[in-house]
């Protein structure tokens, strides 16, 4: 199983380590040719404005969206979740528009409001530890979007078909549950 | 499984280092007003450093260099959505308290400003806002981490437009870490003494071959190739100070350095980034500077 990690900027190396601990083969994706032959793709944390700009400039945007439409599984964390959203607010910005949800950037505040917390989830029988860093909030999740975990009522882990999105950073937690869930999603093909 | 450091499981520490992790692979740009901050953000900066004067001007104009005025920092915070950093003088914990009250995202305890304490740095653990500190060698880096720095950057020689000191410092830090990994258990206590750093941190580095916080580069980066150089030497991200807004075409140079940082190991991409850039900042030969003109010797 070959999983790509978008490596334009951000905490892609934390994802790589986690995936390798779970036995997946990883590829750092910097150009369109790196996308060939992937079973799944991770959009890591970092700055969504930086990611979006370089995706557009490097000609990665169109092939990436095309591969997802053809069934490649995708998992976005924090900035990655912002990229996946249909609509982005605070401020409005371009996105890949792949998940029917509206996301508000930096909705909890600045770095002072970053935190580690726990919440229950439907993907695991134990509560998930969640690391939020200048995190976005999912203001609206469409009917086709399944909510897998919430923080104070707001969705923080969601799935739409073969796409998974977290507003927190499972790659910075010692709990591998979310990555394991994603790899199962990739393996099962649905 | 490497042994955990005593502070590495603390939630506040983890979100501080977490933000530093998010900045990896990116470029943090010095800006002096909202307009420059917007140019930096549009060019792909992953964060900006809010300043009253860039290091090249501090060097030229002299006088005491202090924390930027809150008004300038606030205008920059209002202008962009990416993280905003600001500098405090070495040891000036009250300036740091002011920046925390202002809610900046990262504080740089910086040798670029005039030191406020010639013996002690800020004790950074009690702050909720993460700190970055400069270092010229591994001992300095580990002392700053002990005090609570969540990110280390090379000092280089700020405002010089000359990469030589950043290279020296990155090679020193990486080389000293490599050496530690080859030492026997019984040699580590003596290595800690030589480095002037706590034993538990020295042992952690010896076992892991890297710093327990992200390791970035700063001080003299002026061209896309400079960025590609320090990244290949081990920098996980770069700070560009005077190099962008002291060049003839800041917007284009900012974009080029971002591209070269992402694709540091791809010479064709760095070549593309290097073309049609206009004039780089002029730069200084470090050997022509007096000892007392060096900024890197500040900090202890």
């Amino acid at each position: 199983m070959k999983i790509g990690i978008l490596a334009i900027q951000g905490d892609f190396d934390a994802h790589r380590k986690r995936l390798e601990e779970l036995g997946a083969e990883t590829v750092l994706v910097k150009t369109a040719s790196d996308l060939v032959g992937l079973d799944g793709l991770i959009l890591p944390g970092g700055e969504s404005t930086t990611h979006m700009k370089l995706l557009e400039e490097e000609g990665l945007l169109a092939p990436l969206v095309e591969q997802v439409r053809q069934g490649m599984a995708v998992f976005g964390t924090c900035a990655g979740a912002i990229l996946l959203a249909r609509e982005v607010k605070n401020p409005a910005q371009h996105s890949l528009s792949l998940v029917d949800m509206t996301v508000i950037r930096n909705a909890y505040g600045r770095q002072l409001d970053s935190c580690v917390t726990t919440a229950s989830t439907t993907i695991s029988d134990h509560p998930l530890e969640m690391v939020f860093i200048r995190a976005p909030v999912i203001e609206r999740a469409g009917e086709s979007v399944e909510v897998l975990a919430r923080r104070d009522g707001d969705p923080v882990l969601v799935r739409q078909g073969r796409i998974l999105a977290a507003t927190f950073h499972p790659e910075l937690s010692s709990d591998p549950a979310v990555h394991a869930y994603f790899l199962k999603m990739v393996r099962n093909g649905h | 499984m490497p042994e955990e450091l005593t502070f590495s499981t603390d939630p506040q520490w983890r979100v501080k280092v977490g933000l530093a992790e998010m900045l990896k692979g990116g470029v943090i740009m010095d800006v002096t007003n909202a307009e420059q901050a917007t140019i930096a953000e549009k060019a792909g900066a992953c964060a900006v450093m809010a300043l009253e004067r860039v290091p090249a001007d501090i060097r030229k104009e002299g006088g005491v260099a202090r924390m930027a005025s809150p008004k300038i920092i606030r205008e920059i915070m209002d202008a962009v959505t990416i993280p905003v950093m600001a500098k405090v003088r070495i040891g000036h914990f009250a300036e740091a308290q002011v920046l925390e009250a202002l809610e900046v995202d990262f504080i740089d305890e910086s040798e670029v400003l005039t030191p406020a304490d010639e013996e002690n740095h800020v004790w950074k653990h009690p702050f909720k806002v993460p700190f970055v500190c400069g270092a010229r060698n591994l001992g300095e880096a580990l002392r700053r981490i002990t005090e609570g720095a969540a990110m280390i950057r090379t000092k280089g020689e700020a405002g010089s437009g000359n990469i030589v000191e950043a290279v020296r410092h990155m090679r020193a830090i990486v080389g000293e870490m490599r050496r530690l990994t080859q030492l026997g258990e019984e040699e580590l206590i003596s290595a800690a003494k030589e480095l002037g750093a706590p034993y538990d941190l020295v042992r952690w580095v010896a076992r892991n071959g890297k710093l327990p916080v992200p390791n970035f580069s700063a001080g003299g980066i002026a061209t896309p190739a400079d960025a590609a150089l320090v990244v290949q030497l081990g920098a996980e991200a770069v700070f560009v100070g005077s190099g962008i807004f002291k060049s003839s075409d800041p917007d284009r140079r900012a974009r080029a350095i971002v591209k070269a940082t992402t694709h540091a190991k791809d010479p064709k991409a760095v070549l593309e980034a290097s073309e049609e850039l206009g004039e780089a900042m002029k730069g200084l030969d470090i050997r022509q500077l007096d000892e007392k003109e060096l900024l890197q010797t500040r900090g202890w």
Side-chain angles (χ1 to χ4, degrees), chain B residues 30-43:
Chain B
D30 277 5
V31 297
T32 56
N33 56 46
E35 189 197 344
Q36 289 184 354
T38 305
I39 291 172
E41 182 177 50
K42 288 208 175 114

Side-chain angles (χ1 to χ4, degrees), chain A residues 83-98:
Chain A
L83 293 190
L84 289 169
R86 176 154 303 160
E87 189 188 5
V88 182
K89 293 183 178 173
N90 189 36
Q93 68 186 41
H94 287 288
S95 66
L96 306 177
S97 199
L98 289 165

